Amino acid sequence: MNLKMKALTKSPWVYHLSTGSCNNCDIEILDCLTPRFDLERFGIQLVGSPRHADALLVTGNMTLKSMPRALEVYNQMPKPGVVIAIGTCSLGHGIFDGSYICPKTVDEVLPVDIYIPGCPPKPEAIIAGVAKLLNKLAGK
Amino acid sequence: MESLTLKYFGYFIGIGCILTPLAGMLASWVDRKVTARVQWRVGPPLLQPFWDFVKLLGKETVVPRGSARTVFLMAPLLGFSAVALVSTILWSTIVHPETGFVGDLIVVLYLLMIPSMAVILGGFASKNPIASLGASREMKLILGYELPFILACLVAVIHTEGSIRLGEIIIYQNPETYGPVGAKLSGILAIIVCVMVVQAKLTCVPFDIPEAETEIMSGPFVEYSGPPLAVYKLTRMMMLITLPVFLVILFLGGMHFQGWAILWSILKVLLFLVLVTLIRNTNPRVRIDQAVRFFWGPMTVIAVAAVILALTGN
Ligand code: SF4
């Protein structure tokens, strides 16, 4: 494994992108950063600009309006970077299935690397998912 | 002459560009670990700042369309080289107090301002409204804190009979003869002012108005990515160690490296470092007008009082 990938797995900075969630998944993400779960142990930080990000945390349905914006944010993220889809909404459509506002799922718009199911997923599930992704990257 | 130039160049590379960044990473880890413990967390591992830096080096550099490309990419290097130079001057004076040149205190004061200037340049060059907003706030902050900072540094100069050579200031504060400036009443006042200014120079929390992560998303850095961002972060880490060392030289009699004195020296630097961290963890952010008023009001008054006390020998 090269140094670049290793460094990436040691300090993934995440950018939080909501593409039309009910806000519950977002609260669970913030939960991960609280002292109880303390993601900084793994070097994970929440950053405010997609330019600093190594991972996009996408929550919620991909609505029609947020489709071009999500692509824009993805393109703004410097590569190498990964996309993490969080919540049942972003895996399929969840409770919004059949709605006219979401013709596509998240992974039809962005190249998703890992899916974390749950409505909303528990912080433990999110951490486990991220850890699996890091292992996968480290194995490459 | 040539060999002297070569020697100083070697100092610059060895101390400024290698040792200080490493020390800075360590300081940054201390800062983050203390923060984590204050918030009842475990905190990052020891190598975290190093990995952050290496990772950013390996990322893609995005230059926003319409930005001033050269300035955008050069600004981080400007800040980095200024801090590297300052740390070279400081460390070589600490090790050999009898060397150095007349007025190096003034040079250091100037150079310490350049990293903030670099942030401003980078912010304005990146053609992003948020970055411009952050840069203009940084500018106001500089206007605010420079006056009390220079007044507070003057206290050390007055105590050491008007010497503006850092080496002389260190020698003068020898515990057997004069004792550290920080043990005097005026010295204590000056330290209070300086710690506040250091807080603003590092844009740590009560004065992180230019970066305000929850409000303007890290301000001037918003468009930076990859290696330039890595250099900015490294500059910040180096400032985190350089500024406490500077304060230790001015007010606590410098650092010594013989036997047990080395422990005491490290403790002195840690004292300032942890103080800055604790202040940043226990305070809310103020507005820019409040910050400028704070520095021009109470802090300048305290600094002037310290200067007057120092002139009367207290
Ligand atoms: S998965 Fe559930 S909690 Fe998450 S955004 Fe969708 S509806 Fe809300």
Side-chain angles (χ1 to χ4, degrees), chain B residues 202-226:
Chain B
L202 291 168
T203 51
C204 280
V205 161
F207 309 113
D208 70 333
I209 318 147
E211 281 164 30
E213 251 155 25
T214 44
E215 178 193 346
I216 52 170
M217 291 98 98
S218 65
F221 308 123
V222 72
E223 287 289 350
Y224 276 95
S225 63

Side-chain angles (χ1 to χ4, degrees), chain A residues 15 47-54 56 73-74 76-78, chain B residues 222 225:
Chain A
Y15 178 78
V47 291
S49 160
R51 294 256 195 255
H52 305 180
D54 308 301
L56 284 188
V73 170
Y74 176 73
Q76 281 186 353
M77 178 172 71
Chain B
V222 72
S225 63

Side-chain angles (χ1 to χ4, degrees), chain A residues 21-22 24-25 87-89 95 118-120:
Chain A
S21 70
C22 77
N24 225 334
C25 281
T88 311
C89 281
I95 54 169
C119 180

Side-chain angles (χ1 to χ4, degrees), chain B residues 287-308:
Chain B
R287 282 198 318 268
I288 184 71
D289 58 322
Q290 291 169 325
V292 173
R293 201 169 298 142
F294 175 73
F295 280 118
W296 280 357
M299 283 300 118
T300 307
V301 171
I302 293 179
V304 170
V307 168
I308 293 172

